[in-house]
């Protein structure tokens, strides 16, 4: 039997040990490569658009602090001019204008407007009747804007009323859809100084409701031979700024 020399035996042992150690060291010192892909995760359940809609988008409208902006007529809460006129004439000198509580709405008779017989005179011209009917036919939508001392009121009938609050001389217009009207501020209320189709004094007041959610347009005038006071109020709800109150035709 061939005897292995001690030196060779030692070398073989060292070589065997190194062959076991070096692969592990090389694996530990290998440069980092791309990590193995993570196991696929299940897809989240489908969410409806309403569930992901921000809360602020579905919140209610905020109260307004000025009368400016877009407004839409609330027929249910507005006065019926025909009923108010009948009440004023039958009272024969009564207040004729109380509007406390719910106003009962305009009913199905509008927007045709009443034949009010306001003048107390034997005859009325067709122009006077038409103007009176327009006065008692509120716009379905209005927008109030302000430039300097001028407050412009435009409506869905393509009419514009320029309310001048600085006392300037008013310009007469031949355009039936444009009119300049004297007005003044009384606190946050805007009050006009006008004349009715008969030439008698009348005024309109534009003001916010106490909660800032509605606009009140209130007509102050007289009817009948005894000039009975008449007060008619139209109520408008605010329109979101993203939605125009007046639709283009």
């Amino acid at each position: 039997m061939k005897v292995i020399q001690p030196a060779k035996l030692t070398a073989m042992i060292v070589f065997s040990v190194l062959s076991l150690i070096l692969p592990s060291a090389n694996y530990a010192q290998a440069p980092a490569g791309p990590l193995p892909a993570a196991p696929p995760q299940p897809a989240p359940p489908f969410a409806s658009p309403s569930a992901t809609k921000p809360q602020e988008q579905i919140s209610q409208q905020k109260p307004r602090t000025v009368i400016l902006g877009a407004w839409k007529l609330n027929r249910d809460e507005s006065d019926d001019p025909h009923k108010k006129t009948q009440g004023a004439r039958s009272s024969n000198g009564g207040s004729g204008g109380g509007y406390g509580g719910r106003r009962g709405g305009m009913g199905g008779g509008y927007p045709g407007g009443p034949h009010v017989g306001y003048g107390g005179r034997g005859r009325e011209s067709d122009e006077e009747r038409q103007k009176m009917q327009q006065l008692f036919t509120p716009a379905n939508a209005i927008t109030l804007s302000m430039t300097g001392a001028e407050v412009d009121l435009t409506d869905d009938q393509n009419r514009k009323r320029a309310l001048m609050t600085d006392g300037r001389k008013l310009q007469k217009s031949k355009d039936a859809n444009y009119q300049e009207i004297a007005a003044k501020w009384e606190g946050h209320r805007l009050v006009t100084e006008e004349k009715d189709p008969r030439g008698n004094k009348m005024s309109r007041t534009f003001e916010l409701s106490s909660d800032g959610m509605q606009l009140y347009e209130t007509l102050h005038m007289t009817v009948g031979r005894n000039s009975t006071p008449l007060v008619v109020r139209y109520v408008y709800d605010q329109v979101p700024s993203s939605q125009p109150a007046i639709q283009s035709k």
Side-chain angles (χ1 to χ4, degrees), residues 153-209:
L153 187 157
T154 55
D155 62 24
D156 58 338
Q157 302 298 319
N158 295 321
R159 294 175 298 188
K160 179 178 179 180
R161 302 292 181 262
L163 311 181
M164 307 299 186
T165 65
D166 56 359
R168 74 181 69 176
K169 183 178 180 180
L170 304 179
Q171 303 295 324
K172 292 185 177 181
S173 174
K174 297 181 179 180
D175 186 355
N177 290 330
Y178 176 81
Q179 184 181 1
E180 294 185 1
I181 299 173
K184 61 182 179 180
W185 289 102
E186 294 182 354
H188 295 290
R189 302 163 66 230
L190 181 61
V191 182
T192 68
E193 300 174 352
E194 307 177 59
K195 291 185 178 181
D196 66 15
R198 289 169 50 207
N200 294 328
K201 290 183 179 181
M202 64 164 285
S203 68
R204 305 180 212 224
T205 301
F206 297 90
E207 60 184 323
L208 290 175
S209 59

Side-chain angles (χ1 to χ4, degrees), residues 4 19 21 31 42 47 61 78 85 97 121 124 139 150-151 159 176 215 221 231 237:
I4 303 175
S19 64
I21 295 176
Q61 292 297 307
S78 297
T85 303
R121 297 178 295 178
E124 300 167 3
E150 177 180 337
V151 179
R159 294 175 298 188
L215 173 73
M221 55 187 304
V231 177
D237 296 327

Side-chain angles (χ1 to χ4, degrees), residues 108-127:
Y110 261 75
H115 177 66
V116 294
Y118 64 91
R121 297 178 295 178
R123 297 180 180 179
E124 300 167 3
S125 67
D126 293 338
E127 182 180 1

Side-chain angles (χ1 to χ4, degrees), residues 2-16:
K2 188 177 181 180
V3 178
I4 303 175
Q5 297 296 328
K8 292 183 178 181
L9 179 60
T10 301
M12 292 176 62
I13 293 173
V14 172
F15 177 79
S16 298

